[in-house]
Amino acid sequence: MSTHPVAEVPDRLFDDEQAEARWRARFHAARVSLPDWALSAPDRTVYISNASGVWEVYAWDRATDTHRQVTDRPNGTLHATVSPDGEQVWWFADTDGDEFGTWVAEPFAGRPAGTEAGPAVLGAKAGYPAGLEIGDEVQVVGVADDDGTTVYLSRGGAEAEVIYQNEHDGGVAALSYDERLLAIAHSEHGDNRHPALRVLSVADGSTVAEKWDGKGKGLSGIAFSPVVGDSRLLVLHERRGREELLIWDVESDTEREIALDLPGEVEADWYTDGTALLVAHTHQARNTLHRYDIATGSLTTLDTPPGTIGSAHTRPDGTVEYSWSSAAEPSAVRALFSDGTDRVLLTPPGDRAPVSAPLTDAFVETENGTVHALVARPLDAPDGPLPTVFSLHGGPHAADEDRFSAYRAMWLDAGFAVVHVNYRGSTGYGSAWRDAIEGKPGLTELADVAAVHTWAVSTGLADPTRCVVNGASWGGYLALLALGTQPDLWAAGVAGVPVADYLAAYEDEMEPLRAFDRALFGGSPAELGPLYEECSPITYVAQVQAPVLVLAGENDPRCPIRQINNYLTRLAARNHPHEIYLYDAGHGSLVVAETIKQSLIEVHFALRALKLR
């Protein structure tokens, strides 16, 4: 039980009824993920939606256009898929959002009354999910825990056998369409940020092929060709300093690199006949889709709106389905047909979210390279500098993009400008940019944040006396670290589910994250204790000047609660103004009402700290 000051929870943000209704409507508007379809029964699909007020799993039979809510759990359900024959829905059952659990399965049409979903793979232990592949006869589940990585394989629903086990982080990557070959990712070389690939024989678990590009160059197995007897594996590599594609014929151990004349980075998946690839291209925080013909090497751009493609896949008839949004326009699941027509595929119930302000680009030149930032101003903002929130993304291997955000729109409605910084460590800008934080994480990113802060003040966007640093997860870590190492820049700090005391966090967090930390820092705290301390927010508590708000999940396996309490106790010893909001979930909440409450707490705190109310 926390003894720290509890964050204020106001009843509302605005006196104006229309303004209050508008920001709440963006959160309440139902959203849906791109439906995942069964390979042998394409009309049977599964998606995730918040239509009930909690993110849960839904089954959609397209033949009859009927929808069924599959899960109904207090803290929601985020991971699900459908078996190839369309007969079962698989979903991951954790406890109170702690991410630790097992895969369960139930009939697509629904369970008999009074029954529960049963274990999807008999004999597989509980743990953190580390990949899943479902075939007609073979099911493969990856499990991560303190023992490392264990991969279970079940044949025909029988008791699972262990086909792979190692102390290092890894997981299931891909199962061949004929269920003969299994690709796994592993970090037996000691670096899970740059994994290697191994292909095993499903028959006996023997190694068929290996691929590793060496230190600092990761490989990701995407999917085998969707053709029976075809041993080609689509792979993401970074041999030339950015993520690109290759096709690896596993059985002949030959490969073909696919060099595309596109800036930025790419990922892809197969068209269902195996003759082409659906390529998603990322450049400057926006996406385009392309069709790559494998035989001719030709690349065709598909007609999609400007913005961000969340995910995309193809259907047997060649239709491309994708999820899309932009900063100004709320998300939609769309279908692009082979004749070039495009329409909304799946419309969730209720009203659409109100629109918001667009994002513009800022490219800030620094001695370490060009930092890309995305900037939004309130549509009705007066001229002159504004209170500004610097919203730092998590990951760190992620990036802010031109996508819709009810959260960003709320800050804009409250009168703040919003600046997103794709600092070093972000993805989408090449391997060197992503890996520049290795050896000194946190402090490296904050040098880029400071440069963008200088730009925002010098251009007249940001009021230097009213700048808020804000983020969740890795972004929360950066926010706390910024408050201690850049105290003169910030008038308030908001940190959601942060790393606050790195040494204690390492002791308590899930093993895959400990492996990530070892790769990021270059060793464990036992080997590099002073470096972990140098990069830890708790080291700089004495320098913090601005009021601090921390939001934390009591069941969080990624940024555990003890290390947050350590940090807050240090603040309390200084009688420094701080507030805490604890919630009964893990690394974030899937409950819409809880998300609204937390967002309201954050903006209200910032307005009070900046004396704007």
Side-chain angles (χ1 to χ4, degrees):
M1 181 70 68
S2 173
T3 58
H4 299 285
V6 177
E8 286 188 15
V9 186
D11 292 331
R12 57 192 299 129
L13 188 59
F14 301 109
D15 293 331
D16 180 78
E17 292 292 342
Q18 289 187 332
E20 183 71 12
R22 183 173 59 248
W23 78 260
R24 289 181 180 272
R26 294 194 188 98
F27 284 95
H28 281 296
R31 287 167 284 162
V32 293
S33 69
L34 181 67
D36 184 22
W37 55 274
L39 291 176
S40 301
D43 283 337
R44 293 199 163 186
T45 61
V46 167
Y47 61 90
I48 311 296
S49 176
N50 67 340
S52 70
V54 180
W55 284 95
E56 297 287 6
V57 181
Y58 290 75
W60 174 27
D61 189 329
R62 299 192 189 193
T64 59
D65 196 25
T66 55
H67 299 254
R68 177 179 75 86
Q69 184 175 333
V70 177
T71 57
D72 184 10
R73 305 193 308 146
N75 285 299
T77 313
L78 196 58
H79 302 293
T81 189
V82 59
S83 60
D85 60 8
E87 292 299 318
Q88 288 188 318
V89 177
W90 288 42
W91 51 273
F92 190 77
D94 64 353
T95 303
D96 297 328
D98 65 359
E99 302 179 54
F100 191 93
T102 58
W103 286 97
V104 298
E106 63 177 78
F108 184 87
R111 305 187 302 270
T115 64
E116 300 293 331
V121 176
L122 296 174
K125 65 180 177 179
Y128 302 106
L132 171 70
E133 286 290 327
I134 310 173
D136 290 324
E137 296 297 326
V138 172
Q139 297 80 42
V140 187
V141 173
V143 176
D145 60 13
D146 287 345
D147 295 328
T149 303
T150 306
V151 177
Y152 292 92
L153 186 148
S154 171
R155 307 174 196 275
E159 188 89 3
E161 61 187 87
V162 175
I163 196 171
Y164 175 82
Q165 204 288 320
N166 194 272
E167 63 180 313
H168 293 93
D169 188 35
V172 177
L175 179 69
S176 66
Y177 197 67
D178 55 15
E179 304 175 37
R180 293 185 301 111
L181 302 169
L182 173 67
I184 62 169
H186 70 85
S187 57
E188 294 171 15
H189 53 287
D191 179 4
N192 73 345
R193 285 172 54 85
H194 304 94
L197 290 174
R198 178 174 299 145
V199 178
L200 306 177
S201 167
V202 169
D204 59 11
S206 61
T207 297
V208 175
E210 300 261 17
K211 189 174 290 292
W212 183 44
D213 280 352
K215 183 177 175 60
K217 296 179 179 179
L219 295 167
S220 299
I222 299 173
F224 279 99
S225 163
V227 177
V228 172
D230 191 343
S231 65
R232 292 178 300 164
L233 177 65
L234 183 60
V235 175
L236 206 62
H237 73 90
E238 47 184 313
R239 295 170 180 174
R240 289 181 289 272
R242 60 176 183 155
E243 291 188 332
E244 297 180 279
L245 301 166
L246 65 84
I247 295 175
W248 177 26
D249 190 321
V250 170
E251 292 186 316
S252 65
D253 199 18
T254 58
E255 65 176 47
R256 169 183 170 181
E257 290 188 11
I258 299 172
L260 302 175
D261 187 19
L262 295 170
E265 298 186 332
V266 297
E267 55 184 337
D269 205 347
W270 299 89
Y271 273 75
T272 58
D273 60 4
T275 64
L277 302 177
L278 177 64
V279 177
H281 168 233
T282 299
H283 181 57
Q284 295 179 351
R286 295 166 180 87
N287 304 121
T288 53
L289 289 179
H290 308 262
R291 185 184 190 277
Y292 176 79
D293 186 278
I294 295 172
T296 65
S298 61
L299 186 72
T300 305
T301 300
L302 305 182
D303 187 12
T304 58
T308 296
I309 308 293
S311 53
H313 60 221
T314 62
R315 298 272 291 175
D317 63 358
T319 300
V320 174
E321 297 177 348
Y322 62 100
S323 60
W324 171 90
S325 76
S326 70
E329 295 289 334
S331 61
V333 173
R334 307 191 65 87
L336 178 61
F337 300 96
S338 54
D339 64 0
T341 58
D342 185 294
R343 66 171 175 83
V344 173
L345 173 69
L346 181 59
T347 302
D351 295 331
R352 194 166 182 258
V355 300
S356 185
L359 285 167
T360 59
D361 298 288
F363 298 96
V364 179
E365 300 299 329
T366 77
E367 62 181 7
N368 299 304
T370 303
V371 182
H372 183 205
L374 297 165
V375 180
R377 283 177 59 94
L379 293 173
D380 58 352
D383 294 335
L386 296 172
T388 301
V389 57
F390 289 74
S391 184
L392 309 182
H393 68 75
H397 51 300
D400 277 313
E401 297 175 311
D402 184 6
R403 67 172 69 243
F404 192 77
S405 168
Y407 178 74
R408 179 198 312 118
M410 183 182 183
W411 284 97
L412 294 170
D413 286 356
F416 288 83
V418 178
V419 178
H420 301 285
V421 183
N422 281 336
Y423 49 73
R424 279 172 290 168
S426 302
T427 54
Y429 300 88
S431 302
W433 190 261
R434 181 200 64 207
D435 293 345
I437 65 174
E438 292 181 355
K440 203 166 189 177
L443 300 173
T444 301
E445 298 95 298
L446 290 181
D448 297 339
V449 174
V452 175
H453 179 280
T454 298
W455 168 86
V457 171
S458 66
T459 58
L461 171 71
D463 179 344
T465 67
R466 290 178 170 174
C467 288
V468 179
V469 63
N470 161 294
S473 191
W474 194 264
Y477 158 65
L478 292 179
L480 292 185
L481 192 61
L483 291 172
T485 61
Q486 303 168 339
D488 295 337
L489 301 186
W490 311 111
V494 177
V497 290
V499 175
D501 175 355
Y502 225 125
L503 292 176
Y506 183 90
E507 292 175 356
D508 296 352
E509 68 192 6
M510 60 169 72
E511 172 53 31
L513 283 185
R514 286 198 289 264
F516 181 87
D517 287 338
R518 292 191 294 272
L520 189 59
F521 281 84
S524 69
E527 300 165 300
L528 299 170
L531 178 60
Y532 277 79
E533 291 180 1
E534 182 185 2
C535 299
S536 180
I538 200 169
T539 302
Y540 306 96
V541 166
Q543 284 89 266
V544 175
Q545 296 178 14
V548 183
L549 169 66
V550 174
L551 304 94
E554 295 183 283
N555 310 313
D556 191 346
R558 298 173 181 267
C559 298
I561 196 67
R562 179 175 70 95
Q563 51 95 28
I564 291 173
N565 282 328
N566 292 348
Y567 180 89
L568 295 176
T569 298
R570 294 276 188 93
L571 281 180
R574 292 181 52 212
N575 292 317
H576 186 81
H578 67 282
E579 297 177 10
I580 178 71
Y581 175 73
L582 296 176
Y583 56 94
D584 184 20
H587 198 63
S589 177
L590 301 179
V591 180
V592 173
E594 179 62 32
T595 301
I596 290 174
K597 182 179 181 181
Q598 292 181 28
S599 302
L600 183 58
I601 288 170
E602 292 185 28
V603 177
H604 179 66
F605 171 84
L607 290 170
R608 286 185 292 121
L610 272 55
K611 297 180 170 44
L612 296 173
R613 68 170 44 174

